[in-house]
Amino acid sequence: MRIKNERRYVDSKSERRISLELPDVIKLQSDAHSRDCGDIASELEVSPERGLSSEEVERRQNSYGPNILRTKRSVSSFRLLCAQFASPVVALLAVAAIVALAFGEWKEGTAIAAVLAINSIIGFTTELRAVRSMEALRALGESFARVRRNGRIVEISAVDLVPGDILVLEGGDILPADLRLASTSNLLIDESALTGESVAVEKSAAPVKSDAPIAERASIAFKGTAAARGSATGIVIGTGMDTELGRISRLVFEAEPERSPLERQLDRLGGQLIWVTLLITAVIAGVGIASGRDVFLMVEAAIALAVAAIPEGLPIVATMALARGMWRMAKRNALVERLSAVETLGATTIICADKTGTLTENRMRLKRLVVDAINVEFSQDLEELRADGAEISINDNRMIREALTAGALCNNAALEAGEDASSGDPLEVALLHAADAAGLNRDDLLTDKPKLREFAFDSDVKMMATAHKSDAAVTYYVKGAPEAVLAHSSFVYRSSGPEHLSAEGREQWIEKTNELASQGLRVLAFARKSAASADVPPYENLEFLGLGGLHDPPRRDVKPAIAACKRAGIRVVMITGDHAVTAKNIAISIGLAEQDIHVVEGKTLKPVVQLTEHDRAVILHAEVFARVTPAQKLDLVTVYQNAGDIVAMTGDGVNDAPALKKADIGVAMGKRGTQVAREAAAMVLRDDAFSTIVEAIREGRIIFRNIQRFVAYLLSCNLSEVLVVGLAILAGLSLPLLPLQILFLNLVTDVFPAFALAAGAGDAAVLDRNPRNPKKPILTRALWVVIVGNGLSITVATLGSLYVAREYLGLGADAAVTVSFLTIAFAQLLNVFNMRDPRTHIFHNDIVTNSYVWAAIIFCTSLLLFVVYFPSVASVLHLEPPNGKAWAVILAMSALPLLFGQIGKEMSKIRALRRRAIVAL
């Protein structure tokens, strides 16, 4: 089993090119778990006693490369800047600017270019800050490894590890590479980041079945996992991307990220605007030229129409709306990398949630303690003990106190000031926390009962024991697997003292063990005995104390957050690598599913290409998936997306990363999330709170509704401008609005009210409705009715004011154009109130109560007065200060569209009430 490597290798005796033959680690890894360790060492040509030589290490480093994972390349500032110009609307604006400059319209061309610059700067600076924050969060420090080389144990950078290295592992170490274990001593490894299983697993050097899944390969220790207890030596069989972690990382890079629904819909809308604009300008210009109109005038008119048709403010307002959402989410501990990701959460129809570390705390807790006839339940914060529904005190029960003492003294873990800093086996840490909460501090217990001897956990007997000096005797405390402890117990500890443990009593304890295990709990048994010295066999004639049931508890915020998701019409599906019974019980406890839930296990899932319609139906209706692999998580996301769902994937482990990348939006945990998971996600929760996702969904829905409003507002304003200019040209009249005036309207009287709509606080009941259909466009039929209706009313008002100014007031060209300009400007400002929901009150709704709307109206009114009465600016825009009669026409005509719009809202409300009344009957 060899691979040829034709790299140049310099022999010390001669400059000659030789062919290096090195072991094929990929093929070796496929069955290393089922082969004897000696065979692996021979295959890798290494002596476990001496390790590799320096020369061999250098040779292998040249061939296999450094022990590093492929990481996400830092996004360059130039690339982010270029991305701001990818929108079709931005492209059309750029073309309009070029055409205007080409025909000598310097003011118009420069103004459009300024719009592009402002939009790009806002988007660029916002996304750059978010991207750099994410990259800083992903940074990791250098790690080291202890290996045997040249017959000596040395510490090296983990980057320099090569296949064949003999690695020495101790409790607390993070695995720097994939190992085939050669020898172990009570080795326990936390693989939750890789497999999703919250309980640390026992490892040994013995081969396992060749078809064993990753989670059951006890003879392999995987890169990125952590040694919770014990020690070991092993042979490195994979480094860098040739590890299990590397293969998952490769899935992340191969998973194609989905474009957000908003990006797709805005691009579709932009494309439609391009064709409409081109069609209108071509038709109007063609008709004018064919009728003998001046060519230059027609070009000017075409530019005016193009400027009128394009909502120049759309890119800016959309960018600002999303940027504001990012800033608000950052304050809520959610760091978003892409602007569109905020809105995507608002469109989410299904959340695929990892269990360990996302729905649960990823730390073990003692939940149940069974002693004699008492079944004690601990609260999640360990502050309260209850038995048969009544609160009890540890001081009232010697059996509970003795069982907790056994758990605390027969223990090698250590509690630190911060819970995350505690070290040791997670189960032992949990026992220390339970005892400490009950007032049994381990240090105090050791002061009263100093440890004389320890009998380390033995995987053969499945027990551990410690001997302690106690008055004139020695007390032994034992913990281990229930069946093992019961088999070595002759007595049972009761309130009256030790009593003989009968065969019937032993069976009853086994039944209690099975009952706890069926609830998804990890069960340990405790025992004790007294002896004259610390030299007697520790596991004979034990006094059985009771059982402890431990679990990885749900996060406190998860249950109400899932209830909020259900009210919002969002499905939450649990996808985990943990056991089915554990997943089922967690799902029931957090309100995700009912008691009769069916858990789909990974071994029954087929690849996507092999799924039948029945298989897809089973997947789409399932609520919990257990024992799934990273590739299967990826497949599940694909199945949901193919069914039309907008998928949010949450996770913190390496095994979640590919699905995080593939989902419409990946959400990683910031505190406990792995580097690979954070790198694959579009959003990172800095507080690891699932409830933050619900807030993000609320924010996303509000943003989309606001986007709908300001798009409808902008398009109704632009439609009125197109109709005013187009009808005037078709009628052979002079232009009622000049290109620069239209551009001013689009950038001032349109943009600031649109900003105000984008900043709206939203409806309080936004999470009480189902998610919008992601297949529907931004502008629904009802919104097009609003756009066309308001656009027509503003057009009539504007042309009417122009007619009155020319025919009845006898104003000159510039004075009449000023009347039409101010009429359409104020009509568009007041049009913002026509964007309210028809179901709301005319005088009390979220637009009338929006302070930003009033600020925008006051600011824009001030600007309009400034450009009219400031001579230098007025001359650029060809405006003249109106007289009193002209102002009366302007104010009266600009109020008509608001009046028509509100009448339409009230009629729509009446029709809706009638429909509901008919349905009720």
Side-chain angles (χ1 to χ4, degrees), residues 442-459:
R442 186 169 186 263
D443 292 337
D444 295 339
L445 292 174
L446 287 173
T447 300
D448 294 337
K449 298 180 179 181
K451 185 163 71 172
L452 302 176
R453 188 175 177 184
E454 177 180 322
F455 301 85
F457 179 83
D458 188 327
S459 57

Side-chain angles (χ1 to χ4, degrees), residues 255-332:
E256 289 296 327
E258 294 292 316
R259 299 184 71 229
S260 77
L262 182 64
E263 288 173 324
R264 295 193 293 265
Q265 290 171 341
L266 283 177
D267 283 355
R268 189 182 306 123
L269 177 62
Q272 292 167 349
L273 287 175
I274 288 175
W275 289 110
V276 169
T277 301
L278 293 175
L279 180 63
I280 290 174
T281 54
V283 169
I284 298 297
V287 169
I289 293 172
S291 61
R293 304 288 295 275
D294 181 70
V295 174
F296 182 80
L297 178 63
M298 288 300 96
V299 170
E300 185 181 35
I303 293 175
L305 281 171
V307 172
I310 305 169
E312 285 86 354
L314 179 57
I316 298 177
V317 180
T319 299
M320 284 301 298
L322 295 173
R324 187 171 183 270
M326 286 181 68
W327 298 331
R328 290 175 63 173
M329 289 311 304
K331 292 180 180 179
R332 291 179 170 86

Side-chain angles (χ1 to χ4, degrees), residues 22-204:
L22 291 171
D24 184 351
V25 293
I26 303 299
K27 189 172 181 181
L28 180 70
Q29 290 167 1
S30 64
D31 61 356
H33 58 282
S34 62
R35 296 172 58 192
D36 185 76
C37 188
D39 293 342
I40 304 299
S42 299
E43 191 71 42
L44 288 169
E45 299 175 354
V46 62
S47 166
E49 291 75 25
R50 288 195 55 79
L52 297 173
S53 65
S54 299
E55 294 79 9
E56 184 65 19
V57 168
E58 182 180 357
R59 191 166 77 104
R60 297 190 182 199
Q61 285 175 342
N62 289 335
S63 177
Y64 296 116
N67 177 33
I68 57 175
L69 295 176
R70 178 183 172 191
T71 56
K72 188 176 182 179
R73 184 176 299 173
S74 178
V75 180
S76 68
S77 299
F78 179 74
R79 184 178 175 187
L80 276 179
L81 183 61
C82 292
Q84 309 308 315
F85 297 91
S87 165
V89 174
V90 172
L92 186 56
L93 281 173
V95 172
I98 293 171
V99 171
L101 293 172
F103 281 91
E105 301 290 341
W106 301 105
K107 295 174 183 178
E108 288 83 352
T110 304
I112 296 173
V115 173
L116 292 173
I118 294 170
N119 174 70
S120 302
I121 290 170
I122 294 171
F124 171 73
T125 54
T126 303
E127 291 202 9
L128 181 65
R129 183 169 62 176
V131 167
R132 294 296 178 254
S133 298
M134 293 282 278
E135 289 174 353
L137 190 63
R138 291 165 179 156
L140 288 180
E142 184 180 10
S143 60
F144 296 88
R146 288 180 301 126
V147 296
R148 185 176 291 125
R149 288 179 177 175
N150 300 307
R152 294 184 302 111
I153 294 179
V154 294
E155 187 175 82
I156 64 169
S157 172
V159 173
D160 297 328
L161 283 171
V162 296
D165 261 326
I166 305 300
L167 189 134
V168 180
L169 188 67
E170 297 288 345
D173 289 349
I174 302 296
L175 273 293
D178 282 1
L179 301 183
R180 173 55 170 93
L181 297 170
S183 64
T184 63
S185 176
N186 305 318
L187 182 63
L188 207 63
I189 290 186
D190 180 0
E191 294 184 336
S192 58
L194 185 68
T195 66
E197 188 170 348
S198 53
V199 178
V201 295
E202 188 178 330
K203 296 286 186 175
S204 71

Side-chain angles (χ1 to χ4, degrees), residues 406-575:
L409 291 178
C410 188
N411 198 310
N412 282 321
L415 292 185
E416 304 294 341
E419 185 164 359
D420 290 338
S422 300
S423 59
D425 180 350
L427 293 176
E428 293 189 337
V429 171
L431 295 176
L432 289 183
H433 276 296
D436 193 64
L440 299 174
N441 181 269
R442 186 169 186 263
D443 292 337
D444 295 339
L445 292 174
L446 287 173
T447 300
D448 294 337
K449 298 180 179 181
K451 185 163 71 172
L452 302 176
R453 188 175 177 184
E454 177 180 322
F455 301 85
F457 179 83
D458 188 327
S459 57
D460 292 330
V461 298
K462 297 182 179 180
M463 289 183 290
M464 171 189 176
T466 53
H468 299 263
K469 183 175 177 57
S470 178
D471 297 328
V474 174
T475 302
Y476 286 76
Y477 288 105
V478 176
K479 78 172 189 299
E483 63 276 13
V485 177
L486 280 168
H488 290 81
S489 295
S490 302
F491 305 93
V492 60
Y493 193 81
R494 301 188 187 278
S495 56
S496 57
E499 294 183 11
H500 177 70
L501 180 60
S502 64
E504 183 181 356
R506 188 174 280 105
E507 285 299 318
Q508 289 176 349
W509 280 109
I510 290 175
E511 289 178 5
K512 292 177 182 179
T513 299
N514 293 335
E515 180 185 347
L516 292 177
S518 69
Q519 298 169 13
L521 302 178
R522 179 71 178 269
V523 187
L524 289 176
F526 308 104
R528 54 153 288 166
K529 75 172 183 177
S530 296
S533 73
D535 298 323
V536 301
Y539 304 123
E540 292 181 0
N541 299 317
L542 296 177
E543 300 169 11
F544 191 78
L545 293 172
L547 301 170
L550 300 99
H551 73 145
D552 178 12
R555 293 179 178 275
R556 295 181 184 180
D557 65 320
V558 165
K559 191 170 185 176
I562 287 179
C565 287
K566 289 184 175 180
R567 288 196 304 274
I570 301 169
R571 286 188 65 208
V572 180
V573 175
M574 181 193 295
I575 303 177

Side-chain angles (χ1 to χ4, degrees), residues 195-199 355-356 576-583 625-628:
T195 66
E197 188 170 348
S198 53
V199 178
K355 178 186 73 69
T356 306
T576 179
D578 209 343
H579 295 282
V581 64
T582 305
F625 298 86
R627 303 304 273 178
V628 296

